């Protein structure tokens, strides 16, 4: 499980990206890069990254399932992910 502070920081960045999305798009369309640089750094969508919805793990993230490989494997073995079954060879 990720640290609570990292999960909170990620949520804060997501909120700031959403808050400034329209303003950033407007300034980019104008080409006003000086005003764009004056906006808060965390308002840039590049600074946001994907985290596991269950425990907040940032690495080995699977976009299709919105979880890390560890939680994916655990839930797939239990049969809790629809359409996923263990391959055997």
């Amino acid at each position: 499980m990720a640290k609570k502070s990292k999960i909170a920081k990620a949520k804060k960045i997501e909120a700031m990206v959403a808050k400034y999305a329209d303003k950033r798009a407007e300034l980019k369309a104008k080409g006003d890069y000086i005003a764009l640089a004056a906006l808060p750094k965390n308002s840039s969508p590049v600074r946001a990254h994907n985290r596991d919805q269950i425990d907040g793990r940032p690495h080995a993230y699977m976009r299709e399932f919105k979880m890390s490989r560890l939680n994916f494997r655990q839930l797939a073995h239990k049969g809790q992910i629809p359409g996923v079954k263990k391959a055997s060879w």
Side-chain angles (χ1 to χ4, degrees):
M1 174 133 182
K3 291 168 53 174
K4 301 282 186 190
S5 61
K6 291 291 184 179
I7 295 170
K9 183 178 179 181
K11 286 182 182 177
K12 184 178 175 184
I13 289 172
E14 286 176 18
M16 193 163 287
V17 167
K19 179 180 176 183
Y20 285 96
D22 295 334
K23 184 153 181 109
R24 290 185 74 81
E26 179 185 321
L27 291 173
K28 273 190 179 183
K30 284 184 188 176
D32 189 1
Y33 295 108
I34 294 170
L36 196 61
L39 293 177
K41 286 184 180 181
N42 283 340
S43 68
S44 174
V46 174
R47 292 178 70 97
H49 62 276
N50 295 321
R51 285 187 171 268
D52 187 330
Q53 300 256 322
I54 298 168
D55 64 2
R57 181 182 164 88
H59 297 291
Y61 180 82
M62 301 171 77
R63 287 182 185 176
E64 188 174 345
F65 300 100
K66 297 186 179 182
M67 64 180 79
S68 68
R69 65 177 176 82
L70 302 175
N71 286 323
F72 174 79
R73 185 172 188 270
Q74 185 179 30
L75 294 175
H77 279 303
K78 290 179 183 176
Q80 294 179 347
I81 303 176
V84 175
K85 61 182 179 179
K86 186 180 181 303
S88 58
W89 56 87

